[in-house]
Amino acid sequence: MTRPPVLSPRPSKALIIGLVISSACALLMLALMLVSSDPKGFGLSAVMAVAPLPVLLAAVLALDRLEPEPRLHLSFAFAWGAGVAVVVAIALSLAGEALVLSAGYGETVANDFGTVILAPVIEEGLKGAALLLLLRRRREIDGLTDGIIYAAMAGLGFAAVENVGYYLSAYAENGTDGAVGLFVFRGLIAPLGHPVYTSMIGIGVAYAATRRTPVRFLAIPLGYLGAVVLHGLWNGAATLGSLPALGVVYLLDLCVIIALVVVTVRERKAVLAKIGGILPAYLPTGVLSPQDVGMLSSLGARRHARRWAKGNGLAKPMADYQQAATELAMLHLRAERETMPAEEFTAQREALLHVMGASRRW
């Protein structure tokens, strides 16, 4: 059985074009790094930049288990951070530093200004732009967790390409030892900087997308301000070269990471509780049993059901059933917070019920 169309909506042409352009920008930047550096140093730098990505991506996507976001949207956010955001950030930062130099300030002042002020302001704005573009597709942002996921993907993409440049610079100055030493710090000790900073914007955008209060859009500039402050504090401490300052900012970032995890866990529990309240209304349809409702209202029970289904050759039907049921509950929540034509609600509801009925083989 092919994947039900309702669970795999037609890809957006705009997102596909954005993905292509962003990927081309990332490849162009990497190509420029390659031709302007030692091939051995580039190869080492690229490997070190990519090596932590599987673990980091797995950690971010682990927060997205209840209602996984479409792969195209996730790929777009990552590619935007790695491509468009990196290219434009470099161009704007160089232009800004040139203005500082032309104003009569020395190179040291221009570099420090670019690192502590310009970089956070420009980079966070560009990474956060991915969230603003996705905000147009409000259906894909159902809660704060979604905002965090997309922002983290943009941050990981940006960091991956940026790290290649940093490792190359360290290699040019101090050889392999210098590049590996920087990798230990940026790739192992503090690999989540960019995802954490941009997650502040993600929360702001998600809040604006999922609330109906008149001042909801103020959350976006507030989130951007939070991202810039966190980024600026880290860059400032690194520019000072003060280990105590870096330690304080590092602890602050750890606290933010913990807070982000708490937000996602609390939101997941709230959504599961709402699922348990919404789905019983569909018991008369026959696509749900009381046991199914209990299973769908608990992450642990969902995992147990998927293990059972895998052992009985029903892994894909169970996955489709769980996702369709979750989408049905989210459809109700979406309809509660925004104006949705009755015909659209009914059509989506019936399509999801059809998937649930076709997938339920137990």
Side-chain angles (χ1 to χ4, degrees):
M1 182 176 71
T2 58
R3 192 161 182 75
V6 70
L7 299 185
S8 300
R10 179 175 296 178
S12 163
K13 290 183 180 178
L15 279 179
I16 293 175
I17 293 172
L19 177 60
V20 171
I21 293 174
S22 299
S23 300
C25 288
L27 291 174
L28 174 62
M29 180 55 59
L30 292 172
L32 290 174
M33 291 180 185
L34 173 60
V35 299
S36 62
S37 64
D38 175 75
K40 179 182 176 182
F42 177 83
L44 176 64
S45 300
V47 168
M48 292 190 298
V50 171
L53 272 181
V55 175
L56 298 176
L57 288 170
V60 170
L61 295 178
L63 303 176
D64 194 32
R65 292 178 297 165
L66 184 59
E67 187 201 8
E69 298 305 306
R71 293 179 181 177
L72 176 62
H73 294 69
L74 295 171
S75 299
F76 166 76
F78 183 89
W80 176 274
V84 173
V86 170
V87 171
V88 178
I90 291 175
L92 292 179
S93 295
L94 290 175
E97 291 182 20
L99 285 175
V100 175
L101 286 171
S102 66
Y105 295 97
E107 187 173 343
T108 300
V109 173
N111 289 338
D112 290 347
F113 180 77
T115 300
V116 180
I117 304 298
L118 283 181
V121 169
I122 293 171
E123 292 175 8
E124 295 310 320
L126 288 167
K127 288 183 291 176
L131 276 295
L132 295 179
L133 293 172
L134 288 170
L135 182 58
R136 297 183 59 188
R137 298 180 63 82
R138 299 162 66 91
R139 184 173 181 270
E140 299 304 337
I141 300 180
D142 288 313
L144 301 182
T145 300
D146 292 350
I148 293 170
I149 295 297
Y150 286 123
M153 292 297 289
L156 286 175
F158 189 96
V161 175
E162 183 187 56
N163 280 343
V164 175
Y166 275 117
Y167 299 152
L168 269 175
S169 296
Y171 180 86
E173 293 179 9
N174 301 299
T176 301
D177 290 344
V180 172
L182 185 59
F183 165 71
V184 171
F185 182 69
R186 292 185 64 89
L188 300 181
I189 297 177
L192 290 174
H194 280 292
V196 170
Y197 311 148
T198 314
S199 289
M200 301 296 99
I201 303 175
I203 288 177
V205 170
Y207 186 91
T210 58
R211 302 299 192 277
R212 310 315 307 161
T213 59
V215 297
R216 66 187 184 278
F217 288 109
L218 287 176
I220 297 177
L222 288 175
Y224 171 68
L225 178 62
V228 169
V229 169
L230 286 175
H231 196 159
L233 287 173
W234 179 263
N235 284 9
T239 300
L240 289 173
S242 168
L243 286 179
L246 278 173
V248 170
V249 178
Y250 188 80
L251 288 176
L252 174 62
D253 288 349
L254 284 179
C255 290
V256 173
I257 292 173
I258 293 171
L260 292 173
V261 173
V262 170
V263 167
T264 60
V265 170
R266 288 173 62 89
E267 186 172 69
R268 184 187 301 154
K269 289 182 178 179
V271 170
L272 287 170
K274 291 176 180 177
I275 288 174
I278 291 171
L279 293 184
Y282 290 95
L283 290 173
T285 66
V287 301
L288 280 159
S289 69
Q291 292 77 17
D292 292 328
V293 174
M295 176 267 291
L296 293 164
S297 304
S298 164
L299 280 181
R302 284 175 177 240
R303 286 194 297 270
H304 179 76
R306 288 195 298 272
R307 286 196 296 269
W308 172 85
K310 184 177 181 180
N312 289 274
L314 297 172
K316 189 175 186 301
M318 177 61 76
D320 287 342
Y321 182 81
Q322 290 185 352
Q323 185 177 350
T326 303
E327 292 287 353
L328 178 61
M330 300 305 293
L331 176 66
H332 278 268
L333 297 177
R334 201 176 301 122
E336 290 176 6
R337 69 169 184 262
E338 62 186 59
T339 302
M340 180 180 292
E343 297 82 2
E344 179 183 349
F345 175 85
T346 300
Q348 292 187 32
R349 180 189 64 191
E350 294 306 311
L352 291 166
L353 288 172
H354 174 75
V355 172
M356 292 172 66
S359 302
R360 192 177 186 277
R361 302 177 189 175
W362 48 89

